[in-house]
Structures are given as structure tokens and as C-alpha cells.
Amino acid sequence: MNIEVIHLGPMANCTYLVTQDGNALLIDPAWDMNALEQTLKAKKLNLLAVLFTHGHFDHVKTAETLLKAHGLRAYIEENDVLLSGLPGEVLQPYHGEQNLQIGPFKVHIIPTPGHTAGGVCILIGDALFTGDTLFPGACGRVDLPSSDPREMRKSLYRLSQLPDDTQIFAGHSYGGKSGSFISYERQTNPFMRNAIKDKDIL
């Protein structure tokens, strides 16, 4: 399995292209569908599915055109359907934790509300696509509509229990960095450390 980060848009967004045996998944495609289409074509990839970590506009912007072009419905947690602003015909809503087999990809969707009510992290192998839940050294904002600080702490604690070698691929490259490991975040991320400390009262 190969993972490529594609930086698109003015907000340091990360779209992830996950490939294996000529097949592809896109996670949080936004902003520039022409660039993504060109990448798929140049690499001769068969796009099997699109998955969103949450519904904020900067993670879904203009994705409708790509979804319609490929005849796909994007996976999104049902609590973020309205937030996404995308029409129902291009979405495949689901509720809660999921295990999906998409071509050669085993996808485990972990509900991680806090930044949004329907926020999730997407685990494929030992790669965890965290959207705006977990960043290197930080976590997502919890002062927005449908955000919830207590739910964020619960979500960060849940992520802290993943194996040490779980690699993080965050939804933005703030400060030029979007990758880390659970082991490192568990030791150094103040938000995750506080969630671990508070686990008994969450």
C-alpha cells in the first residue's frame, strides 16, 4: 500500500491518495478536482471510493464534480451530512463504527466526534487518517457549531489506545507537518496527554 499526500487549497489541506495494485481511495478530496483527476489519469489508477473524515467545507469543496464523474458516493458519517452541503445523491451515509472491504483495502472507520458531531478517523493498515481530530502536537478546534470539547477528549483518549506504530496522517499540514505516530503523540501532545489523565472522569 502506498500513501501520497496532495496539498490543495489555501488552508493547508491534505488530500490523501491511497493506492494498491492499481486501485485507489481518496480521503478528503477538496478544492481542485482537475489536479486530482490528472493525478489519477497519470498514474492509471482505478478510483474505488472516496471517504470524508468530516463535513467541513474545506474538506469536501468541489468534490461533487469528481464523485459524479466517477459515479461514486462518498462515505460520510450521517451526523455530518447536512454540514457537508453536498447533495444526497453523491453521499453514502453510515452511522458509527464501520469495517469496510473496498477492493484490496480493509478500512476501519473510528467515530471521533469533537471537532464535528460526525467526525471520524479512518484506519487502513497502520495508517490513521485523522482529519481535524488529531494533529501533530495539537487537536482540532472545539468552538465551532457541532463541536464538543468533552467528546474531543473522549476521542483523543480512544486514539491514544491504538498501537504505538500507528502512523498519523492529519487533515492539514499546519506548520508544514501533517504526519506523526500515536506513540509520539501519546508522550508529547498536551491535548492527548490531558485526555489520558482525565480518562476516569470522561
Side-chain angles (χ1 to χ4, degrees):
M1 185 176 76
N2 184 65
I3 300 169
E4 179 180 349
V5 58
I6 303 172
H7 300 280
L8 297 171
M11 300 175 68
N13 278 79
C14 297
T15 289
Y16 291 100
L17 176 64
V18 185
T19 60
Q20 184 173 325
D21 302 327
N23 296 300
L25 305 177
L26 278 170
I27 297 174
D28 287 352
W31 297 100
D32 190 343
M33 296 305 109
N34 287 332
L36 294 177
E37 290 282 19
Q38 291 171 11
T39 297
L40 292 169
K41 184 176 180 180
K43 295 178 180 291
K44 298 180 179 179
L45 294 170
N46 177 33
L47 181 61
L48 296 180
V50 169
L51 303 100
F52 293 128
T53 60
H54 64 293
H56 278 152
F57 81 96
D58 57 312
H59 292 260
V60 307
K61 188 176 178 65
T62 73
E64 181 180 349
T65 58
L66 179 139
L67 291 164
K68 287 183 174 179
H70 289 266
L72 295 174
R73 289 173 174 252
Y75 291 92
I76 188 169
E77 214 285 333
E78 64 181 18
N79 286 298
D80 271 17
V81 168
L82 291 179
L83 182 63
S84 76
L86 294 170
E89 63 264 26
V90 299
L91 295 176
Q92 179 63 55
Y94 60 85
H95 177 69
E97 191 162 0
Q98 302 287 317
N99 286 294
L100 307 172
Q101 185 72 49
I102 305 174
F105 304 102
K106 291 184 178 180
V107 179
H108 181 200
I109 295 177
I110 304 170
T112 52
H115 182 63
T116 67
V120 302
C121 292
I122 300 166
L123 183 65
I124 307 174
D126 61 1
L128 183 71
F129 302 91
T130 58
D132 287 5
T133 298
L134 177 64
F135 301 110
C139 70
R141 291 176 59 178
V142 291
D143 60 342
L144 301 169
S146 91
S147 296
D148 187 319
R150 187 178 182 86
E151 290 299 314
M152 176 63 84
R153 289 198 300 274
K154 290 179 181 178
S155 293
L156 291 175
Y157 176 72
R158 182 173 188 181
L159 295 181
S160 78
Q161 302 306 293
L162 293 172
D164 286 353
D165 61 352
T166 304
Q167 190 170 359
I168 293 165
F169 296 87
H172 296 268
S173 56
Y174 293 143
K177 185 177 180 182
S178 60
S180 185
F181 288 88
I182 285 292
S183 57
Y184 186 77
E185 296 306 306
R186 191 187 298 123
Q187 295 169 9
T188 64
N189 187 312
F191 301 95
M192 182 171 277
R193 287 173 61 86
N194 284 337
I196 295 169
K197 182 182 67 175
D198 294 341
K199 68 181 186 300
D200 292 334
I201 61 174
L202 292 176

